[in-house]
Amino acid sequence: MDERRTINLCFHGIGTPARDLEIGEAHYWVRTTVFHAILDAVADDPRVRISFDDGNASDAEIALPALRERGLTATFFVLSGRLDEPGSLSREQVLELRDTGMAIGTHGHAHRPWRGLDPAATHAELEDAREELAELVEQPVDEAALPLGRYDRALLATLRRLGYGTVHTSDRRWARGDAWLQPRFSVRDHDTVARLQREVLRPPTLPTRTRGELVGLVKRFR
Ligand SMILES: [Zn+2]
């Protein structure tokens, strides 16, 4: 049996952004109608796990009610440095996510790549941000999502040393459900249900899967 059968779908913003976006970020904002259609398409698919990066206000305002209507749960990777900022989740909304059965993970503080940070910045992003979130939700935060999907072997070793239980990438391949490193497929503005079904939800052909695994290997060992 193929163990690589977990499909992690990652969303960023839904609907219309209420803050200035970073360069290229608009490609990761999905229309609300498309978001709802994708949820409907995967709601009964036990292989699919859903997460949200960046802590946009749309997590609470659009995603949460849509998930609850369908009986779904998700993990929200929040940026501590954007809490209560316009267009981002408020602290109160993070607690609402927690109280409705959603999991809270960390995406760091300032949305900068974690790869190659100096020790002070590493501490701020990997330890202080996590601690601030854990204090807010009054429970341990042991899942992380890598900002901009960037990583290397040194970063993964640091994350392991800090005791992270699961680390989520953006490597666009299927995952083993119990693995420490969880590749995810980021949903983009051009995606549709049909496209996701064709490119993501159908079992990957062998060459595609091998190429995806090589990407992960290169990142882990560089
Ligand atoms: Zn991000």
Side-chain angles (χ1 to χ4, degrees), residues 57-161:
S58 60
D59 288 359
E61 292 165 2
I62 300 174
L64 178 61
L67 290 165
R68 297 190 72 193
E69 276 167 22
R70 293 161 179 81
L72 296 170
T73 57
T75 303
F76 291 81
F77 293 99
V78 176
L79 285 160
S80 67
R82 286 191 191 162
L83 291 169
D84 292 324
E85 292 288 318
S88 293
L89 288 171
S90 67
R91 286 176 168 79
E92 199 173 324
Q93 286 175 320
V94 174
L95 296 178
E96 185 189 1
L97 292 170
R98 177 202 65 183
D99 291 344
T100 48
M102 305 295 151
I104 305 298
T106 179
H107 202 38
H109 179 79
H111 208 242
R112 53 183 163 175
W114 290 352
R115 183 176 176 225
L117 291 178
D118 66 34
T122 298
H123 196 276
E125 293 292 338
L126 275 56
E127 297 188 75
D128 290 344
R130 172 194 199 178
E131 199 174 304
E132 184 176 347
L133 292 171
E135 280 174 14
L136 173 62
V137 299
E138 298 178 301
Q139 60 194 30
V141 169
D142 81 338
E143 290 193 87
L146 303 173
L148 309 173
R150 309 235 183 105
Y151 66 92
D152 58 14
R153 184 168 48 172
L155 173 62
L156 297 185
T158 303
L159 289 162
R160 279 199 190 272
R161 179 172 56 75

Side-chain angles (χ1 to χ4, degrees), residues 165-198:
T166 320
V167 171
H168 300 252
T169 73
S170 310
D171 284 344
R172 294 194 76 78
R173 58 193 174 88
W174 287 25
R176 277 203 319 273
D178 58 354
W180 182 74
L181 204 58
Q182 289 286 315
R184 298 178 299 170
F185 294 89
S186 285
V187 180
R188 295 177 52 123
D189 58 350
H190 59 221
D191 281 321
T192 59
V193 168
R195 185 169 179 150
L196 280 186
Q197 268 162 347
R198 196 171 60 238

Side-chain angles (χ1 to χ4, degrees), residues 16-31:
T16 307
R19 61 175 175 78
D20 291 337
L21 297 184
E22 297 172 6
I23 293 168
E25 190 187 346
H27 294 303
Y28 294 92
W29 279 73
V30 176
R31 280 183 294 137

